[in-house]
Amino acid sequence: MTATTTTKIADCPSCNVHGPFEIVFRADRIPVNSCILIESVTAAADYPRGDLLLGVCQACGVATNLLFDTGLVDYRPGYEVSQIHSPTFGGYARRLAAEWFERYNLGGKHVVEIGCGSGEFLSLFLELGAGRATGFDPACAPSDAGGLRLIDREFSAADGQLGGDFIFCRHTLEHLHDTGRLLDQIHGYLGPDSGVPVCFEVPDFQRILDECAFWDIYYEHCSYFTADSLARLFRRHGFEALDVRLTYADQYLVIDARQAAVRASATAPVATDGLSALRESAHRFAVQCAAMLDTWSGRIADWRRAGRTIVLWGSGSKAVGFLTGLGCDAEIAAVVDINPAKQGVYMPGCRPQIIAPRDLVTIKPDVILIMNPIYTEEIRDDLTRLGLAPELVPLEMEGMPAHA
Ligand SMILES: [Zn+2]
């Protein structure tokens, strides 16, 4: 890929305009899921694959996988996204919950989460003093105890009788192709003009573009948002954005919204703030990404030729995106994860086994590639305790071509 191309092959699932799309990234035959835990290396290799062609809609700015096949993605139990085992992430989650709790006076109130996983984050609101918490997630184990109710199906307008004083949804919208449908379901759930705060958190696409972070583009994320395109989507679907901000070392976008008094017409022209700057960023990404992939492949080949043992730290989607984007999984000795539920198993489409930090004492790595630089100091401390001092290489901007 040497330059941006545009295509008109589809209607934008977020705004229904028929292209054009600015193509920023293509990855063929990548695993359709990057968080499923797999028992054997053979099953990991055989995991279903799909194609990714990421295009930025030039009408609304949402980036979409134009080849996404909803039928290929399966969020069964076993889909493991919990990062609660990391003190860095756990601290962030607690701060975010406290911020929302205070801002919206949620003491004694009913809090509703869309896509709640095992309910870890939702439970924080009960600890803070919320009266009741309800979570929807097709992959959760249903339960109802101590004020916490987990419902193992998709959030839907049909459950509106359950009500709620605060609705939030973290890291779910980017998994949806038809992004507006969920926002429409929330209107149906709440009824008109509820005034209930509706807050979402998604990865920030601007950072992915600016850092040429190809490892943050993977199959189950079929939609990507900048602050402008996220606010535009909410406006288009009858919400007013109260606040859009960057969080978590500027990796995430958080939008606080509520139902707009006057709903925009579905056919009204969309505001174009930020679209030309986004086009430039998308173009830059497309040009730099090929050089970035070459640089990383070269570094890994050099390390291996020098007989150095390479390990990845972090077995989440970034690791799958990195290994399958580069096709370098055979060069990696192992992938470390501090989450005990992931140790001993494999990631889709990837050969290295996931291990515990203590297993590094046997492997004695020379280089550790850190999938999320925010954990670098936490990882350095863990390694010091194990008596290890390998070279640490955080992914952030690493491998960026010299001319970039
Ligand atoms: Zn669009």
Side-chain angles (χ1 to χ4, degrees):
M1 184 181 348
T2 53
T4 319
T5 51
T6 58
T7 179
K8 275 199 164 212
I9 65 170
D11 289 340
C12 169
S14 285
C15 75
N16 301 321
V17 170
H18 188 62
F21 295 90
E22 189 136 354
I23 301 303
V24 292
F25 188 63
R26 176 167 195 129
D28 296 330
R29 307 263 312 130
I30 56 172
V32 297
N33 202 312
S34 49
C35 288
I36 288 270
L37 306 175
I38 300 181
E39 292 301 322
S40 75
V41 68
T42 317
D46 292 343
Y47 197 79
R49 293 169 187 258
D51 297 324
L52 187 145
L53 180 67
L54 191 66
V56 176
C57 171
Q58 296 194 18
C60 76
V62 174
T64 298
N65 176 7
L66 297 163
L67 303 177
F68 186 69
D69 180 349
T70 312
L72 288 176
V73 179
D74 180 8
Y75 299 112
R76 285 169 301 185
Y79 188 77
E80 175 65 43
V81 291
S82 172
Q83 292 175 287
I84 212 88
H85 298 277
S86 157
T88 305
F89 190 81
Y92 164 71
R94 272 183 289 279
R95 281 193 301 280
L96 179 64
E99 195 179 303
W100 278 336
F101 185 87
E102 280 160 32
R103 182 177 294 185
Y104 299 113
N105 297 314
L106 298 176
K109 300 282 182 60
H110 180 200
V111 174
V112 176
E113 180 171 13
I114 302 167
C116 62
S118 53
E120 286 162 333
F121 186 80
L122 188 56
S123 301
L124 296 176
F125 287 88
L126 294 174
E127 287 171 24
L128 288 163
R132 216 146 51 90
T134 302
F136 293 88
D137 197 319
C140 77
S143 67
D144 191 357
L148 178 69
R149 181 176 178 195
L150 302 183
I151 301 173
D152 60 341
R153 58 173 185 267
E154 271 182 30
F155 173 88
S156 141
D159 283 307
Q161 79 285 351
L162 295 175
D165 303 301
F166 177 69
I167 292 191
F168 70 95
C169 178
R170 302 179 65 222
H171 300 279
T172 296
L173 195 62
E174 65 273 23
H175 295 254
L176 305 178
H177 210 218
D178 180 359
T179 54
R181 188 175 165 273
L182 176 56
L183 298 181
D184 293 341
Q185 292 288 327
I186 294 173
H187 279 292
Y189 183 95
L190 291 174
D193 306 325
S194 68
V196 166
V198 174
C199 298
F200 274 64
E201 184 179 58
V202 295
D204 176 35
F205 187 49
Q206 188 64 51
R207 182 197 60 82
I208 294 173
L209 292 176
D210 291 347
E211 295 185 4
C212 212
F214 66 87
W215 47 84
D216 280 327
I217 300 173
Y218 33 81
Y219 197 84
E220 67 261 57
H221 282 188
C222 53
S223 302
Y224 297 78
F225 310 88
T226 61
D228 285 331
S229 59
L230 186 63
R232 189 164 26 242
L233 177 75
F234 272 71
R235 282 200 299 273
R236 188 174 177 77
H237 288 275
F239 290 89
E240 58 175 321
L242 305 171
D243 183 29
V244 187
R245 59 195 182 277
L246 286 165
T247 61
Y248 204 50
D250 295 348
Q251 296 188 35
Y252 300 157
L253 276 175
V254 171
I255 184 168
D256 286 23
R258 69 174 166 227
Q259 288 169 298
V262 181
R263 288 193 66 170
S265 153
T267 54
V270 286
T272 56
D273 30 322
L275 280 179
S276 63
L278 175 60
R279 258 198 305 278
E280 282 168 30
S281 300
H283 180 74
R284 210 167 39 240
F285 178 97
V287 171
Q288 287 177 347
C289 193
M292 181 89 157
L293 290 167
D294 284 349
T295 304
W296 271 111
S297 295
R299 293 182 91 182
I300 289 168
D302 288 348
W303 283 325
R304 295 298 294 133
R305 262 194 300 275
R308 305 184 81 188
T309 300
I310 310 167
V311 160
L312 251 61
W313 192 298
S315 72
S317 303
K318 285 173 194 285
V320 175
F322 184 82
L323 293 177
T324 58
L326 283 168
C328 68
D329 62 319
E331 308 303 325
I332 305 300
V335 177
V336 179
D337 204 292
I338 57 174
N339 180 350
K342 300 180 104 183
Q343 294 159 2
V345 297
Y346 297 83
M347 309 179 295
C350 301
R351 273 169 273 201
Q353 191 177 36
I354 304 172
I355 59 168
R358 64 178 176 279
D359 298 329
L360 290 175
V361 173
T362 316
I363 292 177
K364 297 189 176 56
D366 301 295
V367 179
I368 294 186
L369 300 178
I370 298 175
M371 292 297 103
N372 194 337
I374 203 167
Y375 300 127
T376 302
E377 291 316 308
E378 198 178 304
I379 291 168
R380 197 187 306 279
D381 290 347
D382 285 350
L383 291 167
T384 304
R385 275 193 290 277
L386 292 168
L388 298 170
E391 182 183 350
L392 299 187
V393 184
L395 243 51
E396 187 179 44
M397 302 302 280
E398 280 289 344
M400 204 63 168
H403 61 267

